[in-house]
Amino acid sequence: MRSISTGLITETVKNAFLRANYDIGADITECLEKSRREEISPLGRDILGDILLNDEIARTERIAACQDTGMAVVFAYIGQDARIEGGDFNEAVEEGVRQAYSEGYLRKSVVSDPLFDRRNTGDNTPAVIYTEIVPGDRIRFDVTAKGFGSENMSAVRMLTPAAGVEGVLDFIEETVSKAGPNPCPPLVVGVCVGGTMDKAAVLAKKATMRPVGTHNSDPRYAGLEDEALKRINKLGIGPGGFGGSTTALAVNIDFFPTHIAGLPVAVNICCHVARHASAEI
Amino acid sequence: MSEERKRLQIPCSEEEYRSLRAGDRLLISGTLYTARDAAHKRLCALLDEGRELPFDIRGQVIYYVGPAPTPPGYAIGSAGPTTSYRMDKYAPRLLDAGLKGMIGKGLRNDEVKASMKKNGAVYFAATGGAAALIARSIISSEVIAYEDLGTEAVRKLEVRDMPVIVAVDPDGNDAYEAGREECRAALASL
Ligand code: SF4
């Protein structure tokens, strides 16, 4: 048994959210630079240039890259030989979110009741927390600050097995096409094929956090990623939605076994401000 | 920048608003008011009750933004546009009351476009996600109503050379639709 204090958990989560909101990943920056060189629209090239400049300002001045600093989503992988000491695990995570959003000048965007009062909770909690028990004695956190301009354009559909590869590609393309300029293209598109409705949605969220430029280790799904990206970038939506060849930076596809009767597909849209960070303690 | 950006002082005359064309790239300076979902709901409720709005909306421009908190030494926190369609339900009401411009991002519905045409109003787009960059063009920010709404409060902003694109002009031309169609055709023939 290795003991991990709740204080360290809070500190780790806090720092991860600060980094996620200030430091857009090198994978995104490289991909934006490459897209700017290849973009067919002059206005699109300028918009990509503005985005690169924006991310540079955020990184050097330690300010939020986007004003929508998102809803906090935390994936915690807890080693079964770790012992959490000093209090409640979930509360320690929430406290990390609270501290990051108040001390880091990040926007508080969470309302307590979704339908009736819609009152802002004032500290961006609660976070959406997923825990998984894994081998080992450490805890790994993967966090993402999920903006809702893009979250609102996401979709889940329960296809029939007969829909097959074409059905999956059509649904991904349709979701991005319908979203148009709304989710701040260029996008990172996270997809999960299979599982149940809820499993597909969670794995699609995780897929948005995979670095752009990486591929699914299964060559069939890697091929599907390339094909989906090609189709999306032919839609013409472009940077900021004013037309262009850069509508998405990446389509990251994951899969999970499913039922004989089903083919669930979840498409989680993320904007170019793809904010995520990882830390292990 | 590959194209010259015209400068525009806001608020401007009715003729100047009417002369703007979809696709124009502008640097705007002057006064803006901020409002998003919750503030729109309250503003429209006031109009429904026949009461006065917290600011004179005639001829003005509303920026759809909920800024991040202001760090020390800054005029405002990061402040990029939010998605405009959520305000579609309220926009025609405000346009009828004299609003002449909206700044946001993303598509508007036909009702809003028809109301813009009727009222000679303009819909500008700012680059979504370029919030730290856009904040540099905001010189001052003051909450003038609905402080209880936090980031969604109504603010009066002074801006200098804020970069925007005319997304929909008062004749109903839509730069999003035109740009996408042109590029889709170009990409299909590649
Ligand atoms: S969709 Fe992304 S880039 Fe656009 S406003 Fe929301 S968080 Fe910012």
Side-chain angles (χ1 to χ4, degrees):
Chain A
M1 276 289 173
R2 182 170 158 267
S3 82
I4 297 175
S5 74
T6 48
L8 182 60
I9 290 169
T10 295
E11 190 65 22
T12 305
V13 169
K14 171 188 167 182
N15 289 331
F17 275 106
L18 291 175
R19 272 188 286 125
N21 275 292
Y22 301 155
D23 299 315
I24 299 304
D27 57 326
I28 298 282
T29 305
E30 273 165 35
C31 192
L32 285 168
E33 278 166 352
K34 177 170 172 280
S35 302
R36 182 163 59 154
R37 289 192 294 273
E38 295 169 359
E39 172 55 56
I40 62 163
S41 150
L43 174 56
R45 286 197 291 275
D46 282 355
I47 291 175
L48 292 172
D50 282 351
I51 291 170
L52 282 161
L53 178 58
N54 178 76
D55 296 354
E56 180 64 30
I57 294 169
R59 191 178 301 118
T60 53
E61 297 185 18
R62 314 307 291 161
I63 57 175
C66 185
Q67 82 290 339
D68 179 0
T69 49
M71 188 157 189
V73 181
V74 177
F75 292 96
Y77 302 90
I78 304 173
Q80 60 191 20
D81 296 324
R83 187 187 151 77
I84 295 157
E85 280 182 347
D88 181 309
F89 172 80
N90 284 303
E91 187 36 50
V93 172
E94 300 285 10
E95 184 57 26
V97 171
R98 201 171 284 132
Q99 290 182 10
Y101 279 76
S102 64
E103 294 170 28
Y105 298 94
L106 305 178
R107 199 179 79 182
K108 289 79 178 168
S109 313
V110 175
V111 292
S112 55
D113 178 277
L115 189 56
F116 295 104
D117 356 329
R118 293 193 68 85
R119 195 166 298 128
N120 198 303
T121 60
D123 60 8
N124 219 50
T125 68
V128 176
I129 304 173
Y130 297 101
T131 51
E132 257 176 66
I133 306 295
V134 297
D137 59 6
R138 309 181 72 89
I139 304 178
R140 194 179 94 230
F141 292 99
D142 290 345
V143 311
T144 178
K146 190 64 181 70
F148 258 57
S150 51
E151 190 74 358
N152 280 339
M153 298 295 122
S154 305
V156 179
R157 190 174 291 170
M158 308 305 279
L159 299 178
T160 62
V165 169
E166 262 320 291
V168 171
L169 284 168
D170 285 348
F171 177 53
I172 298 170
E173 184 182 336
E174 178 197 314
T175 305
V176 173
S177 178
K178 258 205 269 180
N182 294 351
C184 299
L187 312 172
V188 175
V189 183
V191 177
C192 176
V193 183
T196 49
M197 187 190 81
D198 50 315
K199 185 73 180 177
V202 174
L203 290 183
K205 170 78 73 273
K206 277 197 205 182
T208 64
M209 299 161 73
R210 196 203 321 145
V212 309
T214 61
H215 272 96
N216 192 302
S217 56
D218 184 318
R220 296 167 305 170
Y221 285 90
L224 201 64
E225 290 174 337
D226 287 340
E227 181 60 23
L229 183 62
K230 216 161 81 197
R231 281 173 64 162
I232 287 170
N233 282 337
K234 288 217 163 212
L235 289 171
I237 296 167
F242 285 102
S245 51
T246 315
T247 299
L249 301 174
V251 181
N252 293 341
I253 304 183
D254 198 0
F255 66 95
F256 196 84
T258 193
H259 188 276
I260 48 173
L263 180 58
V265 185
V267 179
N268 195 199
I269 307 279
C270 184
C271 49
H272 59 85
V273 189
R275 288 156 297 189
H276 46 85
S278 296
E280 196 175 63
I281 50 178
Chain B
M1 293 297 126
S2 64
E3 252 182 81
E4 186 72 17
R5 298 193 185 194
K6 284 185 262 178
R7 288 197 150 75
L8 181 71
Q9 189 69 29
I10 294 278
C12 62
S13 70
E14 209 150 299
E15 297 72 61
E16 276 179 289
Y17 284 123
R18 279 207 184 269
S19 72
L20 298 172
R21 296 293 90 198
D24 282 355
R25 303 178 65 190
L26 307 170
L27 295 170
I28 58 175
S29 299
T31 306
L32 303 174
Y33 293 89
T34 73
R36 34 173 298 152
D37 312 52
H40 271 77
K41 195 172 173 186
R42 292 194 188 177
L43 294 174
C44 286
L46 286 179
L47 290 173
D48 287 344
E49 294 161 16
R51 291 170 50 199
E52 241 181 58
L53 297 180
F55 63 99
D56 186 355
I57 199 170
R58 287 168 300 171
Q60 300 295 339
V61 176
I62 287 182
Y63 182 20
Y64 300 152
V65 60
T70 309
Y74 287 75
I76 196 167
S78 297
T82 193
T83 325
S84 306
Y85 75 92
R86 296 194 318 272
M87 270 54 78
D88 281 359
K89 194 176 154 197
Y90 308 107
R93 192 86 180 81
L94 297 183
L95 291 167
D96 284 343
L99 180 69
K100 283 288 180 247
M102 301 158 284
I103 307 176
K105 61 154 169 115
L107 304 173
R108 307 312 301 260
N109 69 15
D110 291 341
E111 247 173 77
V112 175
K113 289 189 198 174
S115 174
M116 286 172 56
K117 234 170 158 170
K118 183 175 93 183
N119 292 297
V122 187
Y123 170 48
F124 305 94
T127 298
L133 179 62
I134 292 169
R136 286 190 165 182
S137 57
I138 301 172
I139 317 162
S140 72
S141 158
E142 178 199 351
V143 173
I144 59 157
Y146 311 146
E147 189 147 22
D148 62 297
L149 292 180
T151 184
E152 295 205 65
V154 172
R155 289 174 172 78
K156 185 178 177 182
L157 304 182
E158 296 300 327
V159 300
R160 191 185 306 139
D161 290 343
M162 177 177 170
V164 296
I165 298 166
V166 176
V168 182
D169 65 31
D171 289 331
N173 301 304
D174 187 325
Y176 284 124
E177 282 170 10
R180 178 173 176 176
E181 197 37 53
E182 191 185 313
C183 289
R184 198 195 55 77
L187 288 164
S189 65
L190 276 185

